[in-house]
Amino acid sequence: MYALVDGNNFYVSCERVFRPSLQGRPVIVLSNNDGCAIARSNEAKALGIAMGAPRFQVQRELPEAGVLALSANFTLYGDMSNRMMSIAAGLGPEQEIYSILSSRFGPRRQPRCPPRQRPGRRAPGDGAG
């Protein structure tokens, strides 16, 4: 059996931990240089804001929606990811972290078999000879 741990709207969720006033508001987190949306709250998704939407387009098309655009804080997101992954590590024997917001768990891996010998060669220490 395998399990997946994934942070929902992760960057926005990280911002909401320290700014509870953002709950229920449409929020987007912007890329480097505040160019486009790299994370969206469910409220922002409901307004039709697409992943990668340019900031100017969101501001132009939805001025009355009250969309809050935040600059990315990658240091915060990395710290929150480390916390989440350390808590999640107790969920299973094998954790594979494959992004800042996702990891998967599965059964403990079996040790690899020793490499096969070429025909006609004896393995060291087999007692023959």
PDB file of all heavy atoms in Angstrom, residues 11 29-39 53-55 70-75 77:
ATOM      1  N   TYR A  11       1.450  27.175  -0.954  1.00  0.00           N
ATOM      2  CA  TYR A  11       2.015  28.494  -0.647  1.00  0.00           C
ATOM      3  C   TYR A  11       0.974  29.396   0.013  1.00  0.00           C
ATOM      4  O   TYR A  11       1.281  30.116   0.967  1.00  0.00           O
ATOM      5  CB  TYR A  11       2.578  29.168  -1.893  1.00  0.00           C
ATOM      6  CG  TYR A  11       3.777  28.486  -2.518  1.00  0.00           C
ATOM      7  CD1 TYR A  11       4.238  28.894  -3.761  1.00  0.00           C
ATOM      8  CD2 TYR A  11       4.452  27.448  -1.893  1.00  0.00           C
ATOM      9  CE1 TYR A  11       5.338  28.298  -4.353  1.00  0.00           C
ATOM     10  CE2 TYR A  11       5.546  26.841  -2.480  1.00  0.00           C
ATOM     11  CZ  TYR A  11       5.989  27.272  -3.710  1.00  0.00           C
ATOM     12  OH  TYR A  11       7.072  26.681  -4.294  1.00  0.00           O
ATOM     13  N   VAL A  29      -0.407  33.793  -4.848  1.00  0.00           N
ATOM     14  CA  VAL A  29       1.002  34.032  -4.560  1.00  0.00           C
ATOM     15  C   VAL A  29       1.689  34.176  -5.903  1.00  0.00           C
ATOM     16  O   VAL A  29       1.441  33.395  -6.829  1.00  0.00           O
ATOM     17  CB  VAL A  29       1.618  32.882  -3.730  1.00  0.00           C
ATOM     18  CG1 VAL A  29       3.120  33.073  -3.567  1.00  0.00           C
ATOM     19  CG2 VAL A  29       0.945  32.790  -2.367  1.00  0.00           C
ATOM     20  N   LEU A  30       2.537  35.179  -5.991  1.00  0.00           N
ATOM     21  CA  LEU A  30       3.159  35.534  -7.268  1.00  0.00           C
ATOM     22  C   LEU A  30       4.573  34.973  -7.395  1.00  0.00           C
ATOM     23  O   LEU A  30       5.263  34.755  -6.399  1.00  0.00           O
ATOM     24  CB  LEU A  30       3.195  37.057  -7.412  1.00  0.00           C
ATOM     25  CG  LEU A  30       1.822  37.734  -7.359  1.00  0.00           C
ATOM     26  CD1 LEU A  30       1.986  39.239  -7.240  1.00  0.00           C
ATOM     27  CD2 LEU A  30       1.003  37.367  -8.594  1.00  0.00           C
ATOM     28  N   SER A  31       4.993  34.780  -8.630  1.00  0.00           N
ATOM     29  CA  SER A  31       6.328  34.280  -8.942  1.00  0.00           C
ATOM     30  C   SER A  31       7.386  35.323  -8.589  1.00  0.00           C
ATOM     31  O   SER A  31       7.070  36.440  -8.176  1.00  0.00           O
ATOM     32  CB  SER A  31       6.406  33.947 -10.432  1.00  0.00           C
ATOM     33  OG  SER A  31       6.215  35.135 -11.195  1.00  0.00           O
ATOM     34  N   ASN A  32       8.640  34.946  -8.817  1.00  0.00           N
ATOM     35  CA  ASN A  32       9.722  35.915  -8.647  1.00  0.00           C
ATOM     36  C   ASN A  32       9.409  37.150  -9.485  1.00  0.00           C
ATOM     37  O   ASN A  32       8.854  37.044 -10.568  1.00  0.00           O
ATOM     38  CB  ASN A  32      11.052  35.320  -9.103  1.00  0.00           C
ATOM     39  CG  ASN A  32      11.558  34.271  -8.147  1.00  0.00           C
ATOM     40  OD1 ASN A  32      11.173  34.225  -6.989  1.00  0.00           O
ATOM     41  ND2 ASN A  32      12.419  33.408  -8.634  1.00  0.00           N
ATOM     42  N   ASN A  33       9.726  38.293  -8.987  1.00  0.00           N
ATOM     43  CA  ASN A  33       9.441  39.577  -9.630  1.00  0.00           C
ATOM     44  C   ASN A  33       7.945  39.850  -9.763  1.00  0.00           C
ATOM     45  O   ASN A  33       7.528  40.696 -10.546  1.00  0.00           O
ATOM     46  CB  ASN A  33      10.121  39.688 -11.004  1.00  0.00           C
ATOM     47  CG  ASN A  33      11.622  39.611 -10.885  1.00  0.00           C
ATOM     48  OD1 ASN A  33      12.204  40.168  -9.965  1.00  0.00           O
ATOM     49  ND2 ASN A  33      12.253  38.898 -11.799  1.00  0.00           N
ATOM     50  N   ASP A  34       7.135  39.092  -9.030  1.00  0.00           N
ATOM     51  CA  ASP A  34       5.676  39.307  -8.965  1.00  0.00           C
ATOM     52  C   ASP A  34       5.018  39.307 -10.342  1.00  0.00           C
ATOM     53  O   ASP A  34       4.091  40.056 -10.598  1.00  0.00           O
ATOM     54  CB  ASP A  34       5.363  40.609  -8.226  1.00  0.00           C
ATOM     55  CG  ASP A  34       5.763  40.542  -6.762  1.00  0.00           C
ATOM     56  OD1 ASP A  34       5.956  39.423  -6.252  1.00  0.00           O
ATOM     57  OD2 ASP A  34       5.861  41.596  -6.131  1.00  0.00           O
ATOM     58  N   GLY A  35       5.468  38.420 -11.214  1.00  0.00           N
ATOM     59  CA  GLY A  35       4.949  38.407 -12.575  1.00  0.00           C
ATOM     60  C   GLY A  35       3.645  37.653 -12.774  1.00  0.00           C
ATOM     61  O   GLY A  35       2.741  38.140 -13.455  1.00  0.00           O
ATOM     62  N   CYS A  36       3.529  36.456 -12.200  1.00  0.00           N
ATOM     63  CA  CYS A  36       2.335  35.649 -12.453  1.00  0.00           C
ATOM     64  C   CYS A  36       1.991  34.790 -11.237  1.00  0.00           C
ATOM     65  O   CYS A  36       2.807  34.601 -10.339  1.00  0.00           O
ATOM     66  CB  CYS A  36       2.530  34.776 -13.691  1.00  0.00           C
ATOM     67  SG  CYS A  36       3.884  33.614 -13.557  1.00  0.00           S
ATOM     68  N   ALA A  37       0.773  34.263 -11.247  1.00  0.00           N
ATOM     69  CA  ALA A  37       0.270  33.457 -10.135  1.00  0.00           C
ATOM     70  C   ALA A  37       0.905  32.071 -10.148  1.00  0.00           C
ATOM     71  O   ALA A  37       0.820  31.354 -11.138  1.00  0.00           O
ATOM     72  CB  ALA A  37      -1.249  33.331 -10.229  1.00  0.00           C
ATOM     73  N   ILE A  38       1.541  31.704  -9.025  1.00  0.00           N
ATOM     74  CA  ILE A  38       2.119  30.366  -8.905  1.00  0.00           C
ATOM     75  C   ILE A  38       1.374  29.542  -7.865  1.00  0.00           C
ATOM     76  O   ILE A  38       1.642  28.344  -7.724  1.00  0.00           O
ATOM     77  CB  ILE A  38       3.629  30.411  -8.573  1.00  0.00           C
ATOM     78  CG1 ILE A  38       3.898  31.171  -7.272  1.00  0.00           C
ATOM     79  CG2 ILE A  38       4.397  31.018  -9.747  1.00  0.00           C
ATOM     80  CD1 ILE A  38       5.333  31.055  -6.784  1.00  0.00           C
ATOM     81  N   ALA A  39       0.467  30.158  -7.141  1.00  0.00           N
ATOM     82  CA  ALA A  39      -0.401  29.444  -6.196  1.00  0.00           C
ATOM     83  C   ALA A  39      -1.683  30.250  -6.050  1.00  0.00           C
ATOM     84  O   ALA A  39      -1.664  31.480  -6.113  1.00  0.00           O
ATOM     85  CB  ALA A  39       0.278  29.284  -4.840  1.00  0.00           C
ATOM     86  N   ALA A  53      -1.407  32.820 -14.456  1.00  0.00           N
ATOM     87  CA  ALA A  53      -2.043  34.049 -14.954  1.00  0.00           C
ATOM     88  C   ALA A  53      -1.177  35.257 -14.601  1.00  0.00           C
ATOM     89  O   ALA A  53      -0.735  35.395 -13.459  1.00  0.00           O
ATOM     90  CB  ALA A  53      -3.436  34.212 -14.348  1.00  0.00           C
ATOM     91  N   PRO A  54      -0.925  36.140 -15.564  1.00  0.00           N
ATOM     92  CA  PRO A  54      -0.137  37.344 -15.275  1.00  0.00           C
ATOM     93  C   PRO A  54      -0.863  38.237 -14.262  1.00  0.00           C
ATOM     94  O   PRO A  54      -2.086  38.373 -14.302  1.00  0.00           O
ATOM     95  CB  PRO A  54      -0.030  38.047 -16.630  1.00  0.00           C
ATOM     96  CG  PRO A  54      -0.379  37.026 -17.646  1.00  0.00           C
ATOM     97  CD  PRO A  54      -1.299  36.057 -16.974  1.00  0.00           C
ATOM     98  N   ARG A  55      -0.087  38.852 -13.395  1.00  0.00           N
ATOM     99  CA  ARG A  55      -0.665  39.705 -12.358  1.00  0.00           C
ATOM    100  C   ARG A  55      -1.489  40.837 -12.967  1.00  0.00           C
ATOM    101  O   ARG A  55      -2.583  41.126 -12.498  1.00  0.00           O
ATOM    102  CB  ARG A  55       0.444  40.276 -11.480  1.00  0.00           C
ATOM    103  CG  ARG A  55      -0.066  41.183 -10.391  1.00  0.00           C
ATOM    104  CD  ARG A  55       1.066  41.773  -9.594  1.00  0.00           C
ATOM    105  NE  ARG A  55       0.544  42.531  -8.461  1.00  0.00           N
ATOM    106  CZ  ARG A  55       1.299  43.125  -7.575  1.00  0.00           C
ATOM    107  NH1 ARG A  55       2.614  43.049  -7.664  1.00  0.00           N
ATOM    108  NH2 ARG A  55       0.766  43.801  -6.588  1.00  0.00           N
ATOM    109  N   LEU A  70       0.152  38.271  -3.251  1.00  0.00           N
ATOM    110  CA  LEU A  70       1.283  38.291  -2.325  1.00  0.00           C
ATOM    111  C   LEU A  70       2.568  37.915  -3.040  1.00  0.00           C
ATOM    112  O   LEU A  70       2.574  37.016  -3.885  1.00  0.00           O
ATOM    113  CB  LEU A  70       1.051  37.299  -1.188  1.00  0.00           C
ATOM    114  CG  LEU A  70      -0.203  37.484  -0.350  1.00  0.00           C
ATOM    115  CD1 LEU A  70      -0.341  36.332   0.641  1.00  0.00           C
ATOM    116  CD2 LEU A  70      -0.169  38.818   0.368  1.00  0.00           C
ATOM    117  N   SER A  71       3.659  38.572  -2.675  1.00  0.00           N
ATOM    118  CA  SER A  71       4.974  38.170  -3.166  1.00  0.00           C
ATOM    119  C   SER A  71       5.361  36.850  -2.505  1.00  0.00           C
ATOM    120  O   SER A  71       5.088  36.640  -1.322  1.00  0.00           O
ATOM    121  CB  SER A  71       6.020  39.230  -2.828  1.00  0.00           C
ATOM    122  OG  SER A  71       5.751  40.431  -3.507  1.00  0.00           O
ATOM    123  N   ALA A  72       5.987  35.975  -3.268  1.00  0.00           N
ATOM    124  CA  ALA A  72       6.392  34.671  -2.745  1.00  0.00           C
ATOM    125  C   ALA A  72       7.438  34.826  -1.651  1.00  0.00           C
ATOM    126  O   ALA A  72       8.313  35.687  -1.723  1.00  0.00           O
ATOM    127  CB  ALA A  72       6.932  33.804  -3.872  1.00  0.00           C
ATOM    128  N   ASN A  73       7.329  33.976  -0.633  1.00  0.00           N
ATOM    129  CA  ASN A  73       8.286  33.934   0.470  1.00  0.00           C
ATOM    130  C   ASN A  73       8.834  32.508   0.524  1.00  0.00           C
ATOM    131  O   ASN A  73       8.389  31.690   1.323  1.00  0.00           O
ATOM    132  CB  ASN A  73       7.591  34.317   1.776  1.00  0.00           C
ATOM    133  CG  ASN A  73       8.528  34.351   2.955  1.00  0.00           C
ATOM    134  OD1 ASN A  73       9.634  33.824   2.907  1.00  0.00           O
ATOM    135  ND2 ASN A  73       8.073  34.955   4.038  1.00  0.00           N
ATOM    136  N   PHE A  74       9.792  32.197  -0.342  1.00  0.00           N
ATOM    137  CA  PHE A  74      10.274  30.827  -0.469  1.00  0.00           C
ATOM    138  C   PHE A  74      10.979  30.320   0.781  1.00  0.00           C
ATOM    139  O   PHE A  74      10.988  29.116   1.036  1.00  0.00           O
ATOM    140  CB  PHE A  74      11.162  30.697  -1.705  1.00  0.00           C
ATOM    141  CG  PHE A  74      10.406  30.920  -2.983  1.00  0.00           C
ATOM    142  CD1 PHE A  74      10.671  32.024  -3.783  1.00  0.00           C
ATOM    143  CD2 PHE A  74       9.407  30.044  -3.381  1.00  0.00           C
ATOM    144  CE1 PHE A  74       9.969  32.229  -4.964  1.00  0.00           C
ATOM    145  CE2 PHE A  74       8.689  30.250  -4.551  1.00  0.00           C
ATOM    146  CZ  PHE A  74       8.974  31.341  -5.345  1.00  0.00           C
ATOM    147  N   THR A  75      11.546  31.215   1.573  1.00  0.00           N
ATOM    148  CA  THR A  75      12.159  30.796   2.835  1.00  0.00           C
ATOM    149  C   THR A  75      11.087  30.238   3.778  1.00  0.00           C
ATOM    150  O   THR A  75      11.272  29.178   4.380  1.00  0.00           O
ATOM    151  CB  THR A  75      12.896  31.984   3.493  1.00  0.00           C
ATOM    152  OG1 THR A  75      13.877  32.479   2.585  1.00  0.00           O
ATOM    153  CG2 THR A  75      13.555  31.566   4.790  1.00  0.00           C
ATOM    154  N   TYR A  77       8.144  28.999   2.872  1.00  0.00           N
ATOM    155  CA  TYR A  77       7.581  27.773   2.310  1.00  0.00           C
ATOM    156  C   TYR A  77       8.514  26.588   2.525  1.00  0.00           C
ATOM    157  O   TYR A  77       8.073  25.480   2.809  1.00  0.00           O
ATOM    158  CB  TYR A  77       7.261  27.938   0.824  1.00  0.00           C
ATOM    159  CG  TYR A  77       6.471  29.192   0.510  1.00  0.00           C
ATOM    160  CD1 TYR A  77       6.636  29.863  -0.683  1.00  0.00           C
ATOM    161  CD2 TYR A  77       5.554  29.723   1.430  1.00  0.00           C
ATOM    162  CE1 TYR A  77       5.925  31.013  -0.973  1.00  0.00           C
ATOM    163  CE2 TYR A  77       4.845  30.877   1.142  1.00  0.00           C
ATOM    164  CZ  TYR A  77       5.041  31.519  -0.055  1.00  0.00           C
ATOM    165  OH  TYR A  77       4.339  32.666  -0.341  1.00  0.00           O
TER     166      TYR A  77
END
